[in-house]
Amino acid sequence: MTIHQAAPVKDDVASTLLAYRDEFVALRRKLHSEPEMGFREVKTSALVAELLETWGYDVTHGVGKTGVVGTLRNGDSHASIGIRADMDALPIVEATGLAYASTTSGTMHACGHDGHTTILLAAARYLAETRKFSGTFRAIFQPSEEGGAGARAMINDGLFDRFPVDGIFGLHNWPGVPTGQFGFRSGPTMASVDLVIIRVIGKGGHGAKPAQTVDPVVAAASLVLALQTVVSRNVDPLETAVVTVGTINGGIAANVIPDSVELKLTVRTFNEAVREQIKARIIALAEAQAGSYGARVEISYPRGYSTLVNHEQETAFARQVASRHFGERRVETDFRAITASEDFAFMLQERPGSYLFIGNGDSADLHSPRYDFNDNILVDAARFWVHLVQDYLADRNGKNPTLSAEGSDAP
Ligand SMILES: [Zn+2]
Ligand SMILES: [Zn+2]
């Protein structure tokens, strides 16, 4: 892939998308008021599919349960690109007081996936109505990003075999970053997350007769301290990792030694080798610590999301698209690494691509009951997808995207 350098030129993408704006703001607010949780995005995915069909897409429903893929072909090129948006909401009681707040109590779009879905729909409409590209554009709407690994569900359902793409891209709005500012980062960008459940099993009894018991409370307490050495003593100091013991539960009365104590941990890393190293150390420490007190452990270590690793070339290309069409001042090249997790990581393990960020301005944080997606970024984010699709396909077709694209209205 070539990275083209050029001065910004003028285009009509922004004016067309601006003309759609009110319609898409209304759509975003409708999605916000009718949130659906992971793998239950029935109304949402039906609405997405219906709109894509209206605009002339080939639409496949039910990819990874409630996922939707819309395909738009134009010209004779074999080049292809996929853009992914997530559709699911969170189990949160909304406290925004907005006119379009959730009408489903206990379910809320508190991560802006209503916005991500709307952004991709707006871009999809523009691309279908203008058809200024040669190749295949796939709009991928995934279910259950919030813990349900909907990206993996789509991949396991044959996403990239049935709907091949040369590259895959996604974005997340980011509170605290100026409205519409683009952020790019190459390499490890978001953390892996693993949940660890350790049950320390002793032998309960009377609190006054500890010698007749195997006390799991003491063994668990010792284990909590030992776990603090995993990051400080085992992991390379130049790597980033987190081991947090978030819960410790056991016992019901001061004068009773319980049979067992349960610990729950969250583990975050930016490197799969470190992730494996930490897993091995936690298991070894738990067994040895418990064993030294005559107790034993049962460990459940379900794998969560992998580290999200952005591909260097695709990230550089996407960054170039942003600076070409929005100007260098709107682009942050070395965006921070984030200890939150994101299942787009699984898509980036299958195809080259990049996950980028767009500032949501001064809003409440993601997953806050007071969060709301910033509608003022809809047009620019959709415009970025349009330019990325046009420029990426032009580049795959051996054309200089700065010449084939309509250009830019960047400052
Ligand atoms: Zn989220
Ligand atoms: Zn999210």
Side-chain angles (χ1 to χ4, degrees), residues 84 86 88 90 110-113 116 145-146 171-174 341-342 355 366-367:
R84 166 276 208 179
D86 38 15
D88 59 318
L90 283 155
C111 207
H113 299 184
H116 303 164
E145 191 286 322
E146 301 286 1
L171 65 71
H172 209 294
N173 76 92
W174 214 252
S341 303
E342 164 60 60
Y355 198 62
L366 300 172
H367 294 205

Side-chain angles (χ1 to χ4, degrees), residues 201-207 209-210 212-216 256-260:
I201 302 163
K203 179 167 165 277
H206 200 298
K209 298 176 182 174
Q212 293 174 15
T213 73
V214 174
D215 189 346
V256 178
I257 291 167
D259 276 328
S260 68

Side-chain angles (χ1 to χ4, degrees), residues 54 118 163 193 299 315 357 399:
T54 305
T118 307
F163 311 99
V193 57
I299 303 173
T315 303
F357 304 89
K399 297 196 176 94

Side-chain angles (χ1 to χ4, degrees), residues 143-380:
S144 202
E145 191 286 322
E146 301 286 1
R152 192 161 54 193
M154 290 189 90
I155 292 164
N156 290 343
D157 204 1
L159 175 66
F160 293 125
D161 301 321
R162 295 159 66 193
F163 311 99
V165 294
D166 298 334
I168 181 83
F169 296 84
L171 65 71
H172 209 294
N173 76 92
W174 214 252
V177 172
T179 304
Q181 183 82 9
F182 292 93
F184 298 87
R185 184 181 180 84
S186 191
T189 298
M190 296 183 75
S192 67
V193 57
D194 291 314
L195 165 69
V196 191
I197 302 168
I198 302 173
R199 180 164 289 278
V200 180
I201 302 163
K203 179 167 165 277
H206 200 298
K209 298 176 182 174
Q212 293 174 15
T213 73
V214 174
D215 189 346
V217 174
V218 175
S222 174
L223 176 55
V224 170
L225 294 181
L227 288 169
Q228 308 311 310
T229 66
V230 175
V231 173
S232 69
R233 302 292 88 183
N234 300 133
V235 172
D236 183 331
L238 297 180
E239 294 284 350
T240 301
V242 179
V243 174
T244 290
V245 181
T247 73
I248 174 164
N249 284 300
I252 46 165
N255 60 354
V256 178
I257 291 167
D259 276 328
S260 68
V261 171
E262 186 188 76
L263 312 179
K264 283 187 182 168
L265 288 61
T266 189
V267 176
R268 314 269 166 151
T269 71
F270 287 91
N271 173 325
E272 289 299 307
V274 172
R275 188 183 189 189
E276 291 308 320
Q277 181 197 19
I278 288 177
K279 180 176 181 179
R281 283 304 296 154
I282 287 176
I283 292 171
L285 279 174
E287 287 173 347
Q289 287 287 322
S292 73
Y293 293 91
R296 64 188 176 85
V297 285
E298 284 174 4
I299 303 173
S300 158
Y301 210 121
R303 284 183 91 75
Y305 294 173
S306 298
T307 309
L308 184 145
V309 183
N310 277 329
H311 296 240
E312 193 179 331
Q313 273 199 318
E314 284 69 20
T315 303
F317 189 87
R319 193 195 70 73
Q320 279 283 316
V321 170
S323 55
R324 183 184 308 130
H325 297 286
F326 293 86
E328 206 60 55
R329 278 179 309 166
R330 291 276 298 274
V331 176
E332 199 177 321
T333 299
D334 198 15
F335 199 73
R336 69 206 72 168
I338 293 161
T339 53
S341 303
E342 164 60 60
D343 79 346
F344 191 68
F346 297 124
M347 293 198 180
L348 290 174
Q349 288 175 342
E350 301 292 319
R351 288 294 182 277
S354 191
Y355 198 62
L356 56 114
F357 304 89
I358 181 164
N360 200 52
D362 195 17
S363 72
D365 204 3
L366 300 172
H367 294 205
S368 157
R370 281 167 296 282
Y371 167 85
D372 191 30
F373 177 82
N374 182 348
D375 287 321
N376 291 325
I377 65 178
L378 269 177
V379 167
D380 277 353

Side-chain angles (χ1 to χ4, degrees), residues 21-150:
R21 186 183 183 279
D22 289 353
E23 216 175 301
F24 281 97
V25 168
L27 173 65
R28 203 286 293 179
R29 292 178 179 185
K30 176 181 164 61
L31 291 174
H32 190 89
S33 70
E34 299 169 8
E36 296 174 299
M37 300 231 286
F39 294 125
R40 283 179 254 163
E41 306 91 339
V42 178
K43 284 191 294 179
T44 307
S45 63
L47 178 61
V48 165
E50 186 192 322
L51 287 169
L52 291 172
E53 276 161 8
T54 305
W55 301 325
Y57 282 74
D58 274 344
V59 178
T60 307
H61 307 246
V63 184
K65 294 189 185 159
T66 41
V68 176
V69 179
T71 298
L72 184 71
R73 290 188 183 81
N74 200 54
D76 50 12
S77 158
H78 294 294
S80 57
I81 181 172
I83 310 280
R84 166 276 208 179
D86 38 15
M87 300 186 289
D88 59 318
L90 283 155
I92 291 176
V93 179
E94 180 157 356
T96 60
L98 291 163
Y100 54 88
S102 172
T103 53
T104 307
S105 179
T107 304
M108 177 189 175
H109 269 300
C111 207
H113 299 184
D114 48 347
H116 303 164
T117 295
T118 307
I119 291 165
L120 183 51
L121 284 170
R125 176 174 167 188
Y126 178 90
L127 288 161
E129 289 182 350
T130 57
R131 294 183 179 257
K132 290 175 184 162
F133 64 92
S134 183
T136 299
F137 163 56
R138 300 194 196 277
I140 299 169
F141 294 86
Q142 80 149 73
S144 202
E145 191 286 322
E146 301 286 1

